[in-house]
Amino acid sequence: MKKLLTNDEFNSVLLNLSKEYDIYAPVTLPFKGTFSDTDLVKYEKITTLEEINLKDKSYYSAKEILLPIRQTIFYFNENEFKKPEGRTKKALVILRSCDLHAIEKVDNIYLNNKFSDEYYADAKKMVKFAVMGCPGKGWESCFCASMGTNKTDNYNLGLTFKDGEVYTDVKDEELLNFFDAGKNEEFEMEFVTENVEKVTVPENIVLEDIINGEMWRDYDRCIKCGRCNFVCPTCTCFTSQDIFNRDNSKTGERRRVWASCHVDGFTTMAGGHEFRQKSGDRMRFKVMHKISDYKKRFGTHMCIGCGRCDDACPEYISYINCINKLSKKLGDKDE
Amino acid sequence: MNNIYMPERGEILSIVQESSIEWLFKVKTTIKPLAGQFIQLSIPMVGEAPISVADCNHEEGWIEFLIRKVGKVTDAVFNLKPGDSIFLRGAYGNSFPMDTYKGKRVIVVAGGSGTAPVRPLIKQLIDDKKTDIELIFGFKDQDSILFKKEIDTWRKKAPMILTVDKGCGIDGECVGLVTEYIPHLRLNEGFDNLEVVIVGPPMMMKYSALEFLKLGIPEEKIWVSFERNMSCAVGKCGHCKIDETYVCLEGPIFNYVKAKKLLD
């Protein structure tokens, strides 16, 4: 059902919704940015429309709502393991089209990669998604149109924000109960159709052809900080950690914590042997995962073209340039 | 739904020293692994580590693990004694394709601690009277030789070459790398009925496979086992991924046709 609400009416909807749902959206956290006097835009709980940052791209994605940075797998004491209680309150996440596509990519790994992860599955059951369009051609490093993630109709709630008004497309029956205000109004969801950045993804890459390429050596200047992985909405890797309580060393918890294929230690085996020691080889591994390996396994590219990796890199390494360079190289080979 | 991360309690039945640096831990458990699979062994407050199954008995309910002190978990295992609890999750990974091997001539080449994962395989193949088995074992030196008693038993049932890298004065044994002894095998009977299993350090597996290929053995007749940092063991954490392959899900046993493409 499509409806037009004033901002005040929409705020009443949010207020009622927040009794049953934690509502998450990109918000501005003043002075929390990487550099002094800079702000951070990330997903946080909101209760009013005014709190949502509608004009900027969020630095972090919405994935941490389903896949927390640190998640307790179980608590233990001398006698038993106990799984913690998961999300008890439902959640509504207001996000962009590319980020919703990212959730579908994460689903493949956490739900469909032979085993189903019950922590993720339980959280996913509690979450609904509200999609909002992006301004103009998106932001500087966006290339969602190239990745085909600029549009979606796989949402529970569609939102288009105009001056003082909100156009809503309520697809979810349960959410409909909260939308008795406003008037019926036909409209089309507005999505980005073109970005400034255009990326050509080479298809059917044979790893043998590119693994020893000289181009990867350009990326040996990567400082292995892993920021690109942590801001990526589709990066899903983690490492397990056991923590014990300082005042009772017989009790503790096993956690999983976000991990990065760029950071030292990711492939280290007992005894110290490590695969992909050079930064450039780690870049190659990540890039191949995003535009080749994942597709071989799940039939769709993993990268959703949000460009956050380019935004976050302290060495100004451009993943976009890397893919285009690779594409040109493989194209040249065919000529 | 089954919680894929929750380990179950096992009890250490015995700890026996196998070499100068490796010990064999026998653990009572209800888990029933297949030859070639691995288990996530864990000690709460320390962590988890993937350890291959060195032997098991489903009826008696135990698994053996060959463990060397090389990491956080394996260090902590050595603080345990028989009767203590240890925690297990699995069994994970694929297993040796026994149906492919049955009734054929199987050459098993194993190096160092790589003899542990092939031990259940060798036992099953020797028990199967229709399978003709031939063995090459390579160890660093005499102190590193594992499963000495079993090697003596196997030697009576199957042709075997036991070699150590350095001269160490063992009477009647060979000195040198396993690759040097591959041409000594009976390989003039055609390859149709032959399968080759190579398990050991990555370099040893690579050069052994190349040696067999040089002798004309087709790639699809060669099998290897990969070791990786298998952290979650259920295809989520990404540590063991190579290309589109998760070693924990599709491995650790790979046919050479696939293995040669798993580049890192």
Side-chain angles (χ1 to χ4, degrees):
Chain A
M1 193 183 66
K2 290 180 175 173
K3 278 196 149 191
L4 175 62
L5 282 73
T6 63
N7 279 1
D8 286 345
E9 285 170 332
F10 187 70
N11 269 332
S12 306
V13 170
L14 289 181
L15 189 66
N16 285 331
L17 267 170
S18 59
K19 290 171 191 156
E20 283 186 39
Y21 288 83
D22 284 333
I23 304 166
Y24 294 91
V27 303
T28 306
L29 302 177
F31 307 116
K32 295 281 186 190
T34 308
F35 306 104
S36 61
D37 285 343
T38 58
D39 301 337
L40 175 67
V41 182
K42 75 181 285 274
Y43 279 78
E44 291 284 338
K45 275 185 213 173
I46 57 122
T47 47
T48 64
L49 168 61
E50 289 70 29
E51 292 168 72
I52 308 174
N53 182 329
L54 296 173
K55 67 178 202 312
D56 298 311
K57 173 161 61 173
S58 68
Y59 185 83
Y60 292 104
S61 74
K63 80 173 172 191
E64 61 189 292
I65 295 156
L66 289 166
L67 207 58
I69 299 169
R70 284 180 299 272
Q71 184 168 29
T72 303
I73 299 299
F74 49 76
Y75 296 102
F76 47 69
N77 59 32
E78 283 174 282
N79 303 312
E80 60 176 355
F81 297 122
K82 192 169 176 271
K83 186 187 162 195
E85 194 177 17
R87 175 176 283 284
T88 49
K89 194 174 175 183
K90 291 183 280 189
L92 177 71
V93 185
I94 302 173
L95 76 184
R96 315 276 179 190
S97 170
C98 66
D99 283 346
L100 185 52
H101 278 274
I103 302 284
E104 292 165 21
K105 317 283 180 183
V106 177
D107 282 0
N108 275 333
I109 290 179
Y110 274 80
L111 304 176
N112 309 325
N113 201 19
K114 190 169 175 184
F115 295 94
S116 179
D117 180 292
E118 71 174 60
Y119 299 84
Y120 183 84
D122 288 351
K124 185 85 197 289
K125 278 181 209 147
M126 302 291 278
V127 178
K128 293 186 196 296
F129 297 99
V131 159
M132 56 179 171
C134 303
K137 293 183 174 183
W139 293 274
E140 201 181 349
S141 57
C142 295
F143 56 104
C144 56
S146 300
M147 300 311 296
T149 58
N150 50 323
K151 294 176 186 172
T152 180
D153 56 5
N154 192 24
Y155 50 80
N156 302 110
L157 174 64
L159 298 170
T160 300
F161 298 98
K162 299 271 179 185
D163 284 342
E165 291 174 320
V166 186
Y167 291 82
T168 60
D169 178 12
V170 193
K171 286 191 180 184
D172 184 272
E173 280 190 23
E174 199 196 329
L175 290 181
L176 261 181
N177 299 326
F178 296 90
F179 283 82
D180 43 9
K183 57 177 185 187
N184 293 344
E185 178 86 20
E186 271 308 310
F187 75 102
E188 286 301 313
M189 284 287 291
E190 290 175 4
F191 291 113
V192 165
T193 51
E194 190 190 3
N195 309 114
V196 176
E197 288 289 351
K198 289 181 180 55
V199 170
T200 310
V201 181
E203 294 293 332
N204 305 318
I205 305 170
V206 178
L207 187 58
E208 264 174 304
D209 293 345
I210 57 109
I211 193 164
N212 294 318
E214 203 44 46
M215 69 172 279
W216 304 114
R217 302 284 64 85
D218 293 349
Y219 302 100
D220 283 342
R221 69 189 168 92
C222 155
I223 58 164
K224 307 173 183 176
C225 69
R227 274 200 215 175
C228 53
N229 291 130
F230 300 129
V231 297
C232 175
T234 66
C235 271
T236 51
C237 294
F238 66 82
T239 293
S240 298
Q241 289 179 349
D242 278 26
I243 313 284
F244 60 87
N245 297 321
R246 193 176 287 182
D247 51 356
N248 180 359
S249 63
K250 287 174 178 160
T251 65
E253 64 184 79
R254 179 162 294 166
R255 291 172 175 175
R256 63 177 171 206
V257 183
W258 284 4
S260 155
C261 56
H262 277 268
V263 172
D264 282 341
F266 187 74
T267 63
T268 311
M269 299 202 301
H273 184 69
E274 191 178 8
F275 302 94
R276 304 188 299 272
Q277 292 185 19
K278 288 183 184 167
S279 302
D281 294 334
R282 295 180 192 182
M283 179 72 175
R284 183 259 306 157
F285 179 79
K286 179 189 71 187
V287 170
M288 285 304 108
H289 188 31
K290 300 296 173 189
I291 62 161
S292 175
D293 312 350
Y294 182 93
K295 190 175 181 190
K296 284 186 207 164
R297 202 168 175 91
F298 299 110
T300 156
H301 285 309
M302 191 182 206
C303 174
I304 48 104
C306 70
R308 287 187 177 97
C309 47
D310 279 28
D311 301 339
C313 182
E315 289 292 299
Y316 303 104
I317 287 171
S318 170
Y319 166 89
I320 294 172
N321 286 351
C322 180
I323 304 179
N324 283 336
K325 216 189 280 182
L326 191 65
S327 193
K328 189 166 178 296
K329 188 179 152 63
L330 291 171
D332 286 349
K333 203 191 77 178
D334 294 339
E335 281 166 12
Chain B
M1 198 197 290
N2 179 31
N3 187 336
I4 51 178
Y5 303 109
M6 203 63 87
E8 59 177 69
R9 192 186 298 268
E11 183 195 328
I12 296 183
L13 296 172
S14 64
I15 306 169
V16 177
Q17 185 161 10
E18 270 296 325
S19 73
S20 57
I21 47 167
E22 286 141 321
W23 279 258
L24 198 59
F25 287 73
K26 190 174 189 176
V27 179
K28 187 178 165 190
T29 174
T30 56
I31 296 173
K32 295 180 168 59
L34 301 168
Q37 284 192 301
F38 69 96
I39 301 278
Q40 281 290 343
L41 213 58
S42 84
I43 302 179
M45 281 166 281
V46 181
E48 284 191 311
I51 312 280
S52 50
V53 171
D55 201 5
C56 60
N57 186 314
H58 295 184
E59 286 74 40
E60 292 173 16
W62 54 260
I63 300 178
E64 278 181 345
F65 303 96
L66 183 79
I67 301 179
R68 191 187 288 188
K69 271 177 119 167
V70 280
K72 231 168 38 168
V73 177
T74 51
D75 283 355
V77 167
F78 284 85
N79 296 329
L80 301 175
K81 53 188 190 308
D84 284 348
S85 295
I86 191 160
F87 295 83
L88 301 90
R89 189 159 70 79
Y92 293 118
N94 63 356
S95 56
F96 288 107
M98 299 308 292
D99 290 345
T100 308
Y101 301 161
K102 261 191 186 148
K104 291 190 180 168
R105 189 162 125 49
V106 183
I107 296 170
V108 181
V109 186
S113 55
T115 41
V118 297
R119 190 165 161 244
L121 168 78
I122 293 169
K123 285 188 170 181
Q124 284 181 44
L125 293 176
I126 284 181
D127 284 348
D128 178 36
K129 304 278 183 252
K130 287 177 191 156
T131 307
D132 185 9
I133 182 167
E134 192 161 351
L135 307 163
I136 308 183
F137 293 127
F139 295 99
K140 203 163 67 181
D141 49 38
Q142 195 175 14
D143 290 341
S144 311
I145 298 174
L146 296 160
F147 312 118
K148 290 188 184 86
K149 273 187 202 158
E150 270 143 324
I151 283 179
D152 285 339
T153 320
W154 296 338
R155 195 196 298 272
K156 287 171 195 150
K157 295 176 179 167
M160 180 193 292
I161 296 168
L162 174 62
T163 175
V164 288
D165 296 356
K166 288 176 269 185
C168 55
I170 328 170
D171 284 340
E173 295 300 357
C174 309
V175 175
L177 303 175
V178 290
T179 44
E180 295 169 36
Y181 292 91
I182 289 168
H184 295 203
L185 296 163
R186 287 180 296 130
L187 295 168
N188 53 358
E189 295 164 17
F191 306 136
D192 290 352
N193 207 33
L194 178 74
E195 301 289 338
V196 177
V197 179
I198 310 168
V199 184
M203 280 299 159
M204 171 258 170
M205 289 200 287
K206 183 182 169 182
Y207 287 102
S208 298
L210 291 175
E211 199 61 43
F212 280 106
L213 294 172
K214 230 191 282 175
L215 295 167
I217 290 169
E219 288 178 351
E220 63 268 23
K221 298 281 183 187
I222 301 172
W223 304 81
V224 294
S225 178
F226 273 41
E227 273 194 22
R228 287 274 146 166
N229 177 3
M230 289 176 271
S231 181
C232 75
V234 286
K236 309 281 171 269
C237 78
H239 289 266
C240 71
K241 194 181 88 70
I242 312 170
D243 205 347
E244 85 277 21
T245 303
Y246 289 79
V247 175
C248 67
L249 300 182
E250 282 94 39
I253 316 296
F254 291 100
N255 186 273
Y256 188 77
V257 175
K258 169 88 177 169
K260 72 169 183 183
K261 290 185 179 158
L262 295 175
L263 304 168
D264 223 331

